[in-house]
Amino acid sequence: QDWLGCDPVWHVFEKMSKEGAIVVIKIDGKRTGVEDNGRYTIVVSGGPLGDDFFRMDTNVLEAGLANAILYYADKCWKKGR
C-alpha cells in the first residue's frame, strides 16, 4: 500500500455518493483496547447497492477504505452488472 489517509481516495467516495450511495467513515475514540474491533468503521450502503452494504471495523484506516472501494467496484462498476 503506497498511500495514507483519506485524501488520495476521497474522489472515489465522492463518485459513490453522486451515484446515490451513503458513505460513512467513523473514528471512535472510545475503541482503543486490544479487545476492540478497531477505531475506524467504514460503511457504504444505498444507491446502486440496493439492500446490500459494506461495513468494516479496523485499526488501519487505509485497509478499510481500500476494502470499501473494492467491494463497491465489484458490486456496482464491474462490467455486466
Side-chain angles (χ1 to χ4, degrees):
Q1 178 162 310
D2 45 67
W3 52 274
L4 294 172
C6 294
D7 287 348
V9 294
W10 194 257
H11 68 281
V12 181
F13 292 104
E14 289 285 352
K15 180 179 178 179
M16 291 177 187
S17 72
K18 288 178 182 170
E19 294 176 358
I22 299 165
V23 178
V24 178
I25 301 169
K26 174 185 166 191
I27 305 171
D28 191 333
K30 292 186 178 185
R31 291 194 313 203
T32 57
V34 293
E35 69 281 351
D36 294 322
N37 292 342
R39 60 183 290 209
Y40 302 105
T41 301
I42 316 299
V43 178
V44 181
S45 63
L49 286 173
D51 291 335
D52 201 359
F53 69 94
F54 171 88
R55 179 193 167 119
M56 182 178 182
D57 296 315
T58 181
N59 281 314
V60 181
L61 174 63
E62 295 80 8
L65 299 176
N67 279 293
I69 292 168
L70 291 172
Y71 183 88
Y72 189 89
D74 183 59
K75 298 286 184 175
C76 303
W77 294 333
K78 237 182 179 177
K79 294 217 182 253
R81 291 198 180 199

